[in-house]
Amino acid sequence: MLSTYTSYNLIAKDMLKSLNRTAAEATNARDADYYRENIGKVSSVDEFLDDYRLYSYAMKAYGLEEMTYAKAFMRQVLDSDLTDANSFANKLTDTRYRDFASAFSFTPSTATAQTETQLDSIIGLYSATAANAGAALKEETRYYNVVIDTVTSADQLINNDRLRNYVFTAFGIDPNTYSREVVRGVLGSDPDDPASYFSTEFGARETDAVAAIQAANSELSTLPSNDANKARIAELKAEISRQSAIIVTAEKYRALAEAYNFASDGTATAGTVQDADQKAATNQLYTLSNPRVTSEAALINKDYFESRIGSVTTASELVNDPRLLNYIKVAFDLNKASVVSSTIANILTSDPDPDNATSYINLFGGADKAKYVALRAAFNFQEDGTLAAGQAAQTAAQTATATNAYMIHYNDKDDEADATAIKQFKSQIGAVKTVKDFVGEASIYNFALKAFGIDPAKVSAFTIKKVMQSDLNDPKSYVYQLKDDRFVQLAKAFNFGSDGNITAPKLAQSEAEILVMSRAYVTVKSRFGTEDDKKKAEEEAKYYSTQMQKVESVEDFLADDRLVSFVLTANGIDPESVDATFMQKIFTSDLDDPKSFANQQADRAYRKIVASFNFNAEGKVTQPDDAEIQSRRGIYETIDSHVQQMLEEEAGDDNAGVRLALYFQRKAETITSPYDILADDALFEVFKVIYQLPDEIGSADIDAQAEMIKRHLELKDLQDPEAVSKMIVKFSVLYDLDNQTNTDPALSVLTSSGSSGISADLMMSLAQLRPGGS
């Protein structure tokens, strides 16, 4: 009869071969095939528990076969929310139950429009886009100024998307509704020529519109405001609105015509399309058209104020110029809705004497009064709104004060609006359940598009709907046909399915798998570490959780050594023991091919790692089937664990000591406390044999037993494979001695041809072994 060690070594020296042999046995192979083929058909806990073949297979895999009868108990385990520290499975001291629960997912992944990471990312992009608005405008202006000098026809300008967008933005032309014929005709027009396209198409209509407005206003002035005239008054006001729109359109196209020098047939000589003044005016219109006041726009407004203020002679003239009025409101932080032009006029003409109780300024108090006093002090208007003889509206020093104040406050309103937009987006995005919701809520829709530099006014909602429902893994899907990466990134920022409904996030690892990996990592790092080590591990787990939400391919994952190291450590593999080439081979393995690289590794942790990721054959992240109650990782882990259990069980049929040795080898690195040994009969048996302790020791006080284990065993040594190997050798020899096998255990170990190798020191130790020795 072979000794325990020899039998153990025959199995352990080539564990892959041993596992494959066990897996290939008819009964084991048949059970594994059944499990693999049928677990995906189960849709509920009850269905799983009612299929005894599936249920018992899984229970045995996790060493819980003695609890197979306890279905009510196991239902509570499977129904546990593993993210909740107080859930049933998490509160059980035996971690096998938590491991069992983590292999299944009877609760569908949470569907959400955005994850926390996606939310943080889009807010960051929005802030960055806002901050870089000036740079973007500057770049577009640079491009425009260079290319416009090479243009030789109106058609060439219109056909260039960037030039056309620049022009349309500057002159307020809607890119979604514009008429190419109209724009081309206006560009080749001289507004002063009665025969030009502009004059014939817009000139007469503008003249008629002015006359119609005058007539409507005249009639309105004669109509008493009573019920009898209510309908007519409404008609006249509507008419004024319609005619005003005609005038606005005409003026818009007049400005466009005056800005270019194309001939009536749309041709021009390169370099003559715009002179320097026309180009500068177009640049200014473009810069000021942006709703955000950039630094360039602020300088334009500053120049305008400084060029105009010297010619202003009355307070009314100042407040009736919208640009001047807005400038001083911003400069003196008077942007409340209640502060209108009449408010500013009253301040500018107030008696500055603080003792004058009837002065407009003195009717206020606190911060408002301080601002009003500062504004009044910056101008020299008299109480009737005029200037004294020889007096200017402002001295140079007063202008400098106003200008400095404006340059400090010019973007306050935008910053406040950004803060409000971010707060509103964060509060509303959780209510979005469909693409229709997303498109229908203007604040969310506009925020998201602006974050990616997309102007909501220049793209249709229909286009955005199709973008959001595109399959990002399909290069032929709609979003890629747009040839614009901004739309791709927009689609990636949200979790909408092809049906327009929100889905679970498409992650490289599901939230459940990230939790399992993170928990394993923290456990490994804190087994024998300090509280500080645990905190560092938890911080690393946060990094992992955040970064994994950004991984889009195998290449992304493998490129981050920190992520790779995290995964290897969590699975009990020393990151220093493998290189990048090895990991590349692991992640490009076909787990369904027994001959693939991952499947040729004796350590089944490698294929469990690969199975925990949602990468397709091309290495891209794909959406797993949320209807499946067990992940691919769970299936492989369950089957592998079952094979391991059967290997140990079958070895035990011939020699119980071999089963104990194999079990100890597998569990050793998970032991962190004497109570882990005491709670496991098999581990305690190995311990008693190694240290030759009598069975009666088990009757002692539990805490006394724990202290006894500490005296005999340095638990940290169990993390060292070499130390564990020596302990198994010692166990094997002593087990045979205790059980009176026919083979000399020491001789069997010493003459073994196993590949594990035994040092001279170990040989000497074995030669000196005595019953009862340590």
Side-chain angles (χ1 to χ4, degrees):
M1 178 179 178
L2 294 175
S3 71
T4 297
Y5 181 75
T6 300
S7 298
Y8 162 81
N9 198 45
L10 286 172
I11 295 172
K13 70 179 180 180
D14 192 343
M15 186 56 79
L16 177 62
K17 183 178 179 180
S18 299
L19 289 169
N20 286 341
R21 183 174 59 246
T22 301
E25 292 172 2
T27 300
N28 295 335
R30 189 163 54 248
D31 288 345
D33 287 343
Y34 180 84
Y35 188 85
R36 187 183 291 107
E37 292 169 6
N38 290 279
I39 191 64
K41 300 174 184 177
V42 174
S43 60
S44 70
V45 173
D46 287 335
E47 284 184 31
F48 175 62
L49 296 175
D50 288 342
D51 188 325
Y52 183 78
R53 194 171 174 187
L54 289 178
Y55 170 53
S56 61
Y57 184 93
M59 290 292 282
K60 187 175 188 66
Y62 290 91
L64 297 170
E65 60 266 35
E66 77 280 1
M67 291 294 290
T68 302
Y69 75 93
K71 288 188 177 182
F73 180 87
M74 294 309 298
R75 180 182 285 104
Q76 291 187 73
V77 169
L78 291 169
D79 283 338
S80 296
D81 178 2
L82 296 183
T83 64
D84 179 3
N86 293 315
S87 65
F88 186 76
N90 282 332
K91 292 179 74 174
L92 296 173
T93 56
D94 191 336
T95 58
R96 291 178 301 169
Y97 294 105
R98 191 177 68 193
D99 293 340
F100 184 80
S102 72
F104 296 88
S105 180
F106 287 98
T107 302
S109 300
T110 304
T112 180
Q114 285 192 310
T115 63
E116 286 295 323
T117 298
Q118 287 172 313
L119 178 61
D120 290 344
S121 178
I122 199 170
I123 289 173
L125 280 172
Y126 181 88
S127 299
T129 299
N132 296 329
L137 293 175
K138 199 171 184 178
E139 169 56 24
E140 288 305 298
T141 296
R142 183 203 64 77
Y143 175 84
Y144 176 84
N145 289 343
V146 170
V147 178
I148 196 65
D149 287 340
T150 67
V151 169
T152 58
S153 71
D155 286 328
Q156 187 181 352
L157 185 155
I158 296 171
N159 291 339
N160 183 309
D161 291 345
R162 284 182 74 177
L163 285 183
R164 184 181 68 250
N165 288 337
Y166 190 94
V167 172
F168 283 12
T169 300
F171 293 95
I173 299 171
D174 188 342
N176 296 314
T177 60
Y178 82 98
S179 163
R180 181 187 181 91
E181 179 185 356
V182 169
V183 171
R184 190 180 184 284
V186 168
L187 286 171
S189 294
D190 176 1
D192 295 328
D193 179 1
S196 70
Y197 179 88
F198 170 81
S199 297
T200 57
E201 289 296 319
F202 296 99
R205 275 189 277 174
E206 183 178 19
T207 300
D208 291 343
V210 170
I213 289 173
Q214 289 174 342
N217 281 326
S218 177
E219 185 176 347
L220 277 174
S221 66
T222 64
L223 284 176
S225 181
N226 53 40
D227 290 343
N229 296 320
K230 188 175 181 179
R232 180 55 181 165
I233 290 173
E235 288 177 3
L236 290 171
K237 288 182 177 179
E239 179 64 13
I240 290 172
S241 179
R242 283 195 297 271
Q243 298 300 332
S244 295
I246 291 173
I247 294 173
V248 169
T249 300
E251 290 305 310
K252 180 191 303 180
Y253 283 119
R254 180 190 299 278
L256 179 65
E258 291 175 343
Y260 295 89
N261 304 316
F262 292 108
S264 59
D265 63 356
T267 61
T269 302
T272 66
V273 170
Q274 283 190 313
D275 59 31
D277 289 339
Q278 289 171 314
K279 190 185 294 185
T282 302
N283 294 163
Q284 187 175 112
L285 284 173
Y286 179 79
T287 301
L288 294 176
S289 68
N290 193 292
R292 176 174 294 277
V293 182
T294 63
S295 57
E296 288 79 7
L299 290 173
I300 291 172
N301 291 333
K302 169 180 171 292
D303 290 344
Y304 181 82
F305 179 82
E306 291 178 347
S307 68
R308 291 279 295 117
I309 195 63
S311 62
V312 171
T313 58
T314 67
S316 295
E317 187 180 348
L318 175 64
V319 299
N320 286 332
D321 184 321
R323 289 184 67 180
L324 294 180
L325 176 64
N326 184 67
Y327 188 91
I328 61 175
K329 286 176 67 176
V330 170
F332 294 94
D333 194 21
L334 299 171
N335 280 312
K336 288 183 179 179
S338 59
V339 179
V340 294
S341 58
S342 59
T343 308
I344 301 298
N346 287 333
I347 294 170
L348 294 175
T349 57
S350 291
D351 180 357
D353 184 355
D355 295 327
N356 184 351
T358 62
S359 171
Y360 184 81
I361 291 177
N362 292 329
L363 298 176
F364 300 88
D368 285 340
K369 181 176 181 180
K371 294 175 184 178
Y372 293 172
V373 169
L375 173 59
R376 180 68 181 89
F379 291 88
N380 302 316
F381 295 110
Q382 301 179 103
E383 290 183 49
D384 65 355
T386 63
L387 295 169
Q391 186 84 329
Q394 283 187 319
T395 63
Q398 287 172 315
T399 299
T401 297
T403 294
N404 289 338
Y406 178 82
M407 296 307 292
I408 291 171
H409 294 294
Y410 75 85
N411 57 357
D412 286 358
K413 192 173 183 180
D414 291 330
D415 290 344
E416 183 180 340
D418 288 342
T420 300
I422 290 172
K423 183 178 180 180
Q424 193 171 23
F425 184 83
K426 291 175 72 173
S427 68
Q428 293 179 335
I429 192 61
V432 171
K433 305 300 180 186
T434 66
V435 171
K436 185 177 180 181
D437 293 342
F438 172 78
V439 173
E441 182 54 60
S443 58
I444 292 177
Y445 180 77
N446 292 339
F447 183 96
L449 267 60
K450 289 177 181 178
F452 292 94
I454 302 170
D455 187 345
K458 296 180 180 178
V459 62
S460 70
F462 177 77
T463 295
I464 297 301
K465 284 181 181 178
K466 295 189 70 175
V467 163
M468 296 309 227
Q469 293 174 222
S470 294
D471 179 358
L472 293 170
N473 281 339
D474 180 3
K476 296 180 180 179
S477 65
Y478 180 81
V479 69
Y480 294 114
Q481 296 176 28
L482 298 177
K483 308 295 184 183
D484 189 332
D485 190 57
R486 295 176 303 166
F487 292 101
V488 175
Q489 298 308 316
L490 173 65
K492 287 180 179 179
F494 295 87
N495 307 312
F496 292 109
S498 59
D499 60 357
N501 295 318
I502 59 171
T503 66
K506 188 170 71 174
L507 303 174
Q509 276 188 324
S510 69
E511 293 170 314
E513 293 295 339
I514 290 174
L515 175 64
V516 169
M517 200 72 72
S518 298
R519 183 172 279 157
Y521 180 87
V522 173
T523 298
V524 169
K525 283 296 188 179
S526 58
R527 270 184 186 139
F528 297 98
T530 63
E531 191 62 33
D532 188 51
D533 290 331
K534 185 177 181 181
K535 288 181 180 178
K536 288 180 180 177
E538 289 171 344
E539 285 300 316
E540 195 67 5
K542 289 180 182 177
Y543 172 83
Y544 182 80
S545 178
T546 299
Q547 294 304 119
M548 282 305 298
Q549 294 183 48
K550 302 175 183 178
V551 169
E552 297 179 4
S553 66
V554 169
E555 287 72 20
D556 290 346
F557 171 71
L558 295 179
D560 190 328
D561 292 338
R562 199 169 161 187
L563 295 181
V564 175
S565 178
F566 186 97
V567 168
L568 291 172
T569 301
N571 285 276
I573 302 169
D574 181 0
E576 298 297 324
S577 67
V578 298
D579 58 19
T581 301
F582 182 92
M583 292 304 295
Q584 183 70 35
K585 289 180 180 179
I586 287 292
F587 272 90
T588 53
S589 295
D590 179 0
L591 297 185
D592 294 326
D593 179 3
K595 297 181 180 180
S596 68
F597 187 75
N599 285 331
Q600 291 303 307
Q601 307 306 311
D603 190 341
R604 290 311 198 195
Y606 287 111
R607 73 175 188 174
K608 184 173 73 173
I609 288 172
V610 175
S612 73
F613 286 82
N614 300 320
F615 295 129
N616 61 18
E618 289 73 42
K620 300 292 180 65
V621 174
T622 187
Q623 187 81 48
D625 185 354
D626 199 41
E628 295 181 351
I629 59 93
Q630 191 169 40
S631 66
R632 195 166 63 134
R633 187 269 306 171
I635 293 174
Y636 276 103
E637 184 178 62
T638 301
I639 292 174
D640 288 343
S641 295
H642 191 275
V643 170
Q644 180 73 40
Q645 292 280 358
M646 293 306 298
L647 171 66
E648 294 172 12
E649 185 177 294
E650 291 169 11
D653 290 340
D654 295 326
N655 185 332
V658 177
R659 183 177 187 181
L660 287 170
L662 290 168
Y663 182 76
F664 179 73
Q665 179 193 43
R666 174 162 61 90
K667 298 290 289 185
E669 69 173 4
T670 69
I671 299 171
T672 60
S673 162
Y675 297 100
D676 291 339
I677 295 176
L678 293 171
D680 190 314
D681 291 342
L683 293 178
F684 193 37
E685 181 65 23
V686 172
F687 173 78
K688 287 189 296 182
V689 171
I690 291 175
Y691 296 101
Q692 291 293 278
L693 300 172
D695 290 338
E696 289 75 18
I697 194 71
S699 301
D701 177 77
I702 190 71
D703 292 330
Q705 293 182 62
E707 287 301 318
M708 178 266 299
I709 291 175
K710 288 181 181 179
R711 288 195 302 273
H712 283 85
L713 178 62
E714 181 65 51
L715 293 177
K716 196 171 184 179
D717 289 345
L718 297 176
Q719 305 299 304
D720 180 1
E722 186 175 345
V724 171
S725 179
K726 290 179 179 179
M727 292 178 72
I728 290 173
V729 171
K730 185 176 180 179
F731 164 79
S732 301
V733 173
L734 294 175
Y735 181 86
D736 285 347
L737 287 173
D738 289 345
N739 290 277
Q740 298 297 309
T741 61
N742 295 325
T743 303
D744 183 345
L747 179 62
S748 178
V749 170
L750 293 172
T751 59
S752 171
S753 60
S755 60
S756 60
I758 302 176
S759 68
D761 288 341
L762 180 55
M763 290 182 184
M764 183 64 70
S765 298
L766 289 171
Q768 296 173 347
L769 285 176
R770 293 290 184 274
S774 61

